[in-house]
Amino acid sequence: MLCLMQLKTDLYIDGKWVKGNGSVPVYDPSDGSVIAEIQTAGEKECDAAVEAAYRAFPEWAKTAPRYRAEILRKAFEIMVAEADFLAELVSKENGKVITDAKGEILYAAEFFRWFSEETVRVQGDFRKSPSGDKRILVTHQPIGVSLLITPWNFPAGMATRKIGPAIAAGCTVILKPAIETPLTAMAIIDILERAGVPKGVVNLVTPTPAGPMVSRMLHDARVMNLSFTGSTEVGRVLIKEAADRVIRCSMELGGNAPFVVLDDANIDEAVKGLMLAKMRNGGAACTAANRIYVHKKIAAEFTTKFAKAMSELKMAPGREAGAQLGASVSIKERDKIAQLVELSVKGGAKVETGGVMPEGPGAFYPPTVLTVDKSNEILKYEVFGPVAPIVTFETDDEAIALANDSDFGLISYVY
């Protein structure tokens, strides 16, 4: 079992924990204290990671699927055995409440188990050609060195969801975690090392600033694949970068989910549903409900009940007993939330609860409910926090039109 004092804080390149070109602090957003200092990567370190992954790829690609499967299975077992420690770590560097953190760890571990089972089931195809004089054989091969870029909101889940399938397929990887939450990623790399991953197969770098180093790796002829989860704005930049060499991309970008409550809905159940849809992970999820549309006939009752439920949430450091809403990942992210609320209020929004930044240390922002009109600016943004703007509508057709009035179609909720 790991403890905080045993945490790796170096880069992981070619099977070794190594120093980089400098260091940066990692903060506990609930009080601003420094948890650890991690090493950062420059050109030398990023090039070394690419070289290590490239050199390891041919042998790793040839390994038996069962061999790769057993490593992933072992990593799953270690993660589950150390789930309490890992949850504490996630909560400490991300700010989320411990119950959300524990749920994330178990969810993250499942990707290792799932892909351990899928490793031995990579299917091909064999068929007769349309002309009848040939046989067509379709097989699947690992694409090669994969650059994996993960966000801060699910530092464990996003890492295992990308590493798991890559390892299962026989690819080698370079993981670049969010600079706000690198310790969880480092703990996962340590788990993979203990599970038996050969050197060079998995590498971790934390470049800062990230943009130039990511661009450098994407323009390296040895990198063949990019997987990115993050904002649409950054995704657009990375797709353009990847296009220079026609790198295969897997992109999971922004959301702005609508939550629609029709006039015949069970209001109490709809409120419960919205509390889950909005407040999972403190609202910092791409699937979080960000635009709430409620039929005019029931809007007053729904808003009153929902605002009451939000106001009763206990906001506290994530590891405090009974905490239901922790800190944002950083003061910067907390301030973004506050600025969006201020923008909304200037545009005519009414604050039903919350909306005032608390005094004292920590990147906290209270559960906030706003009533706004359909043109309010906040509806255009993905609010990565505990803010819920409510809009009323009069007909089902209007509700459909409002729900579809967004460039982001990741998920929708209807009651």
Side-chain angles (χ1 to χ4, degrees):
M1 174 70 72
L2 286 171
C3 70
L4 193 59
M5 295 299 293
Q6 297 172 312
L7 269 182
K8 302 293 196 299
T9 57
D10 291 344
L11 311 176
Y12 189 73
I13 300 172
D14 202 20
K16 298 178 181 178
W17 295 96
V18 298
K19 300 300 180 184
N21 68 343
S23 64
V24 294
V26 180
Y27 297 98
D28 180 340
S30 67
D31 60 13
S33 63
V34 175
I35 306 170
E37 294 269 345
I38 65 158
Q39 292 292 298
T40 57
E43 291 183 0
K44 176 185 174 182
E45 293 77 24
C46 290
D47 289 350
V50 172
E51 170 61 24
Y54 181 74
R55 191 170 55 247
F57 172 65
E59 287 302 315
W60 180 245
K62 290 190 298 185
T63 56
R66 180 63 68 193
Y67 174 71
R68 300 196 296 270
E70 291 302 318
I71 290 174
L72 286 171
R73 179 71 189 199
K74 180 65 174 177
F76 159 76
E77 292 170 353
I78 296 173
M79 279 195 75
V80 171
E82 299 179 1
D84 289 339
F85 163 75
L86 293 169
E88 289 275 346
L89 179 58
V90 168
S91 179
K92 196 170 184 64
E93 70 171 346
N94 171 276
K96 69 177 70 179
V97 297
I98 195 69
T99 50
D100 280 349
K102 181 67 174 289
E104 182 191 346
I105 293 301
L106 297 177
Y107 163 78
E110 283 297 329
F111 287 114
F112 282 160
R113 176 158 67 172
W114 171 268
F115 287 106
S116 75
E117 295 166 347
E118 292 302 298
T119 303
V120 297
R121 298 188 181 92
V122 178
Q123 298 180 349
D125 193 17
F126 181 75
R127 66 180 67 179
K128 184 182 288 187
S129 68
S131 63
D133 62 344
K134 299 179 181 67
R135 300 292 182 188
I136 299 173
L137 176 66
V138 178
T139 186
H140 299 280
Q141 300 291 336
I143 194 169
V145 177
S146 298
L147 176 58
L148 315 177
I149 303 176
T150 57
W152 52 259
N153 61 328
F154 290 99
M158 295 300 97
T160 59
R161 192 167 76 171
K162 295 180 188 301
I163 294 170
I167 285 181
C171 293
T172 55
V173 306
I174 303 160
L175 177 66
K176 192 214 81 64
I179 201 67
E180 296 90 346
T181 55
L183 299 175
T184 302
M186 290 169 172
I188 289 171
I189 296 298
D190 181 69
I191 287 170
L192 285 165
E193 183 181 49
R194 286 186 278 148
V197 169
K199 70 176 186 177
V201 173
V202 177
N203 305 272
L204 180 145
V205 293
T206 49
T208 181
M213 292 302 99
V214 168
S215 178
R216 183 181 180 87
M217 288 186 282
L218 289 177
H219 286 89
D220 190 308
R222 296 169 292 185
V223 174
M224 302 301 295
N225 183 49
L226 167 67
S227 178
F228 170 74
T229 298
S231 73
T232 302
E233 291 75 20
V234 174
R236 288 192 181 104
V237 173
L238 292 176
I239 289 171
K240 289 178 182 178
E241 294 270 5
D244 290 341
R245 291 189 44 250
V246 198
I247 289 176
R248 181 184 182 275
C249 294
S250 301
M251 315 295 283
E252 182 188 20
L253 307 179
N256 196 3
F259 188 101
V260 180
V261 186
L262 303 176
D263 60 347
D264 61 349
N266 181 313
I267 294 176
D268 292 335
E269 289 300 315
V271 167
K272 291 179 184 178
L274 181 54
M275 290 298 293
L276 290 173
K278 175 69 254 184
M279 296 306 293
R280 178 194 178 212
N281 210 48
C286 58
T287 56
N290 273 318
R291 299 174 292 132
I292 296 90
Y293 300 109
V294 184
H295 195 282
K296 186 176 182 179
K297 188 172 75 174
I298 61 170
E301 181 182 356
F302 179 89
T303 301
T304 297
K305 289 183 175 182
F306 178 58
K308 181 176 184 294
M310 288 281 277
S311 67
E312 291 174 348
L313 291 176
K314 179 181 178 179
M315 183 173 67
R319 298 173 306 285
E320 184 175 308
Q324 296 170 293
L325 174 63
S328 297
V329 73
S330 67
I331 295 294
K332 178 182 176 181
E333 289 297 325
R334 189 275 309 277
D335 289 350
K336 284 182 184 179
I337 298 168
Q339 288 164 9
L340 286 173
V341 172
E342 290 171 10
L343 177 68
S344 181
V345 171
K346 287 180 180 177
K350 178 186 176 185
V351 179
E352 303 291 341
T353 190
V356 178
M357 204 181 309
E359 296 180 356
F364 292 97
Y365 196 84
T368 298
V369 178
L370 309 171
T371 48
V372 306
D373 64 41
K374 62 184 179 182
S375 63
N376 195 280
E377 282 291 303
I378 199 170
L379 300 172
K380 298 178 182 179
Y381 296 93
E382 182 182 18
V383 184
F384 239 50
V387 178
I390 297 176
V391 181
T392 61
F393 65 87
E394 295 188 10
T395 68
D396 291 357
D397 287 343
E398 183 186 6
I400 292 171
L402 290 169
N404 288 327
D405 186 21
S406 174
D407 293 333
F408 308 97
L410 190 62
I411 193 171
S412 299
Y413 306 87
V414 180
Y415 272 78

